[in-house]
Amino acid sequence: APKPQAAALQVAPEVPAPSPTVVPPTLSSAPATAVAVTAGAAAETDVRVETQSVLATFSNRGGRLKSWKLKNYKDANGEPVELIASDLAASQPLPFTLSASDEATTATLNSALYVVSGAPDSSAPIVGTTTLTFEYRDADISAVKTFTFEPSAYTVAFKALVSRGNVGQSVAVLWGPGIGDSAGQTTVKPEALYSVGGKVTRVSASGIAKQPSYLQNFEYVGIDDHYFASFVLNPGAASVTYSTLSIPPPAGSKATARELVAYTITPPRADQALSFYVGPKDFDTLASIDRNLTRAINFGFFSVIVVPLLRSLQWIHGYVGNYGWAIVILTLLINVVLFPLNHKSVVSMRKMQDVQPEAKAIQERYSKLKATDPARQKMNQELMALYKQRGVNPASGCVPILLTLPVFLAFYQMLQTSIELRGAPFMGWIHDLSAADPYYVLPVAVAASQFVTQWMTPQAGMDPAQQKMMLVMPLVFGFMFISSPAGALLYWFVGGVWRIAQMQLTNYMIGPPKLATAVPGSKARVKRVGQGKTDAAAREE
């Protein structure tokens, strides 16, 4: 953890201030020297605080947080999910560890046994605002740590007042390391993030190694993983330092190392309270605190489309009560809305398929000419004349697809990031829409639907080798989809079945392909003059 400066921090509005490498505080089991304790506990005890949303456990040793469980979210064993990493070495600091300007004070603050006051009844959730206080005092150091809880929030207000020799001390507050969630799909690695001026900046582990410290006028600052986050809300002109911790996998395991991120924040004033949010990256929950806080959910480039889709999914779920069926229904509704564009695309590709024999005959007459030969322009002119005569626009088959692409990409991104799907069952063997299909049924079904779709799609302008390659692509995608969340695969499968049905309907509406043939005996005569340059090209009737 960083060693905070006694002077007030200055705000760097644009460029983060550089900072030396920070070493986490060294924790010990007892104060560095024997002192006369005037306010301290005789034994180590735990204090439990339960709200409507959280089960929190504190230790009076250091007045730090040992456990923070979310009652509304479950882990792989069906228990409330734990957001404090519990599998770390004892030397790793717990959340709300303090770092003072010298190591001796830091060691005392985090190893002393505090006197606890305001502890609520642990047998029932609190019903009103509750303040939990930890106090320690000896001949040299005085420390008071207060935690204020609201009955229905994922937030806790924290204040630390530390003095030494009756002189107030500025201290930094450490959260870390990491978020303890290990259930559901976790394709998003833990990262640091902060918001300044309404813009969220995300910092990966490699970015933290390059620059661990920032000094800004923050709107919020903290860390997150796929579905959960720890933020300090509205800290103002604070200093924050990030650090990383890599936990190797168990011996013999094929899993990769687990990366955790910690952060240490120094408020601009020694007596400033900090509001910590430790909870789910749920859109409505974050919006109820601050609309800008929803930007912490990484919905990607098409976030403006993702939010309405998420609202629609939630609305449908309110009626059907199952997110799997909500995905199916919303996918069908979107395809109904986009039916005219998709229909136009298929019709355009059919028209291109109808004129391919004539177009290919034109291309063959010029096939022996070099690409730089001016006579090749004649080929393009003949092709455009053919397309105009037959009412074909080569681009009209692609444009409708491009217009629908943002919607489908946004939908897929929503299904990848929305916490609503975490642990949500569908039917049969699908018990978690955020996890991969354990029996690979959906990846195979998606690949099969794509194969049928590709086989039915008019292959205008493709040579046989290209057509074979396109038929192999569904198999490639099938292997890529093996580790994808079941909810996203359900969306792809329903969309694939819809496209097959739509192509059948389109073929019924416009009839079978009407393949034209080139005029028998038509030739191209190319006259060359000097150094092989083309002078003219004409068609013999």
Side-chain angles (χ1 to χ4, degrees):
K3 297 180 180 180
Q5 302 176 3
L9 297 175
Q10 301 297 317
V11 181
E14 296 294 340
V15 181
S19 174
T21 303
V22 176
V23 179
T26 302
L27 305 181
S28 60
S29 59
T33 59
V35 294
V37 178
T38 58
E44 183 174 355
T45 60
D46 289 344
V47 182
R48 185 174 183 270
V49 179
E50 181 177 357
T51 71
Q52 296 176 16
S53 306
V54 174
L55 290 168
T57 302
F58 292 83
S59 172
N60 73 328
R61 183 175 293 282
R64 297 173 297 166
L65 183 64
K66 292 178 60 177
S67 173
W68 186 273
K69 296 182 179 181
L70 306 187
K71 297 166 64 175
N72 299 324
Y73 297 89
K74 306 301 180 182
D75 61 17
N77 298 319
E79 299 295 327
V81 64
E82 174 65 80
L83 295 192
I84 306 300
S86 58
D87 56 346
L88 305 181
S91 60
Q92 293 299 326
L94 293 171
F96 299 108
T97 291
L98 300 181
S99 178
S101 57
D102 64 277
E103 293 184 3
T105 302
T106 297
T108 299
L109 291 174
N110 297 309
S111 61
L113 297 176
Y114 287 64
V115 175
V116 180
S117 61
D121 180 5
S122 61
S123 63
I126 61 176
V127 295
T129 301
T130 300
T131 299
L132 180 65
T133 303
F134 295 86
E135 184 175 1
Y136 173 82
R137 189 166 57 252
D138 60 29
D140 186 39
I141 296 174
S142 174
V144 178
K145 302 172 76 171
T146 59
F147 299 86
T148 303
F149 297 85
E150 297 295 333
S152 61
Y154 292 100
T155 58
V156 56
F158 171 73
K159 181 188 288 188
L161 296 177
V162 178
S163 62
R164 186 171 184 180
N166 295 323
V167 178
Q169 301 287 307
S170 178
V171 292
V173 184
L174 172 66
W175 179 280
I179 303 293
D181 173 43
S182 60
Q185 183 79 359
T186 55
T187 57
V188 177
K189 293 183 178 180
E191 61 184 0
L193 76 164
Y194 58 85
S195 176
V196 177
K199 179 182 179 182
V200 174
T201 300
R202 304 177 188 277
V203 187
S204 64
S206 59
I208 292 172
K210 295 178 182 178
Q211 182 174 342
S213 300
Y214 299 86
L215 181 62
Q216 295 277 5
N217 191 3
F218 297 109
E219 289 145 1
Y220 55 88
V221 60
I223 58 176
D224 73 343
D225 65 5
H226 198 130
Y227 294 119
F228 301 98
S230 168
F231 299 132
V232 178
L233 307 175
N234 300 311
S239 172
V240 65
T241 298
Y242 294 102
S243 60
T244 59
L245 175 66
S246 181
I247 303 176
S253 173
K254 295 182 180 180
T256 58
R258 182 181 171 200
E259 300 292 338
L260 297 178
V261 181
Y263 67 100
T264 304
I265 185 167
T266 306
R269 303 189 317 275
D271 62 345
Q272 179 175 334
L274 297 174
S275 180
F276 283 78
Y277 173 89
V278 187
K281 289 161 61 176
D282 175 80
F283 188 90
D284 292 330
T285 301
L286 297 177
S288 66
I289 300 173
D290 184 349
R291 187 72 180 184
N292 185 46
L293 197 57
T294 60
R295 297 179 184 272
I297 308 175
N298 190 5
F299 282 140
F301 184 77
F302 298 109
S303 59
V304 68
I305 306 176
V306 172
V307 175
L309 289 174
L310 178 60
R311 292 297 193 194
S312 301
L313 185 69
Q314 293 171 334
W315 180 77
I316 296 172
H317 175 262
Y319 285 94
V320 300
N322 182 295
Y323 272 108
W325 289 114
I327 292 172
V328 172
I329 294 172
L330 184 56
T331 303
L332 294 175
L333 290 176
I334 291 174
N335 279 280
V336 168
V337 173
L338 298 178
F339 178 86
L341 288 175
N342 290 326
H343 176 76
K344 184 176 180 180
S345 176
V346 175
V347 171
S348 297
M349 287 188 289
R350 169 64 67 81
K351 290 182 178 180
M352 283 291 296
Q353 185 182 32
D354 290 345
V355 300
Q356 274 311 295
E358 295 174 273
K360 189 174 182 180
I362 295 174
Q363 292 168 341
E364 288 178 350
R365 292 201 303 272
Y366 294 87
S367 61
K368 296 183 179 181
L369 301 182
K370 295 181 178 180
T372 56
D373 197 315
R376 298 279 291 192
Q377 297 181 4
K378 289 285 188 179
M379 180 188 72
N380 295 331
Q381 292 174 2
E382 289 188 44
L383 287 173
M384 295 308 297
L386 172 64
Y387 294 151
K388 184 177 181 180
Q389 179 184 5
R390 302 293 295 274
V392 175
N393 184 350
S396 61
C398 300
V399 172
I401 295 179
L402 294 177
L403 292 176
T404 62
L405 190 60
V407 176
F408 291 111
L409 292 178
F411 198 177
Y412 186 77
Q413 182 67 14
M414 178 196 68
L415 297 177
Q416 288 270 38
T417 57
S418 297
I419 195 172
E420 285 80 0
L421 301 188
R422 182 187 179 277
F426 176 39
M427 60 180 294
W429 70 101
I430 303 297
H431 304 295
D432 185 354
L433 288 168
S434 71
D437 184 340
Y439 301 112
Y440 311 117
V441 175
L442 283 176
V444 172
V446 169
S449 66
Q450 288 191 333
F451 177 85
V452 175
T453 302
Q454 192 63 48
W455 179 72
M456 295 178 62
T457 301
Q459 307 296 327
M462 284 191 184
D463 58 41
Q466 288 177 313
Q467 293 180 21
K468 291 179 180 179
M469 182 178 296
M470 293 303 295
L471 290 177
V472 172
M473 289 304 296
L475 182 62
V476 176
F477 281 114
F479 282 103
M480 294 174 58
F481 286 147
I482 286 178
S483 60
S484 295
L489 292 179
L490 183 61
Y491 154 69
W492 279 110
F493 174 68
V494 174
V497 173
W498 173 273
R499 284 187 290 274
I500 294 172
Q502 179 172 330
M503 285 186 178
Q504 291 280 29
L505 177 60
T506 300
N507 291 337
Y508 175 78
M509 294 171 62
I510 64 178
K514 301 176 182 178
L515 299 180
T517 56
V519 179
S522 61
K523 299 178 182 179
R525 179 170 56 86
V526 180
K527 181 180 180 181
R528 299 181 179 276
V529 293
Q531 298 184 355
K533 299 295 183 180
T534 300
D535 178 59
R539 178 185 300 180
E540 291 186 357
E541 298 297 331

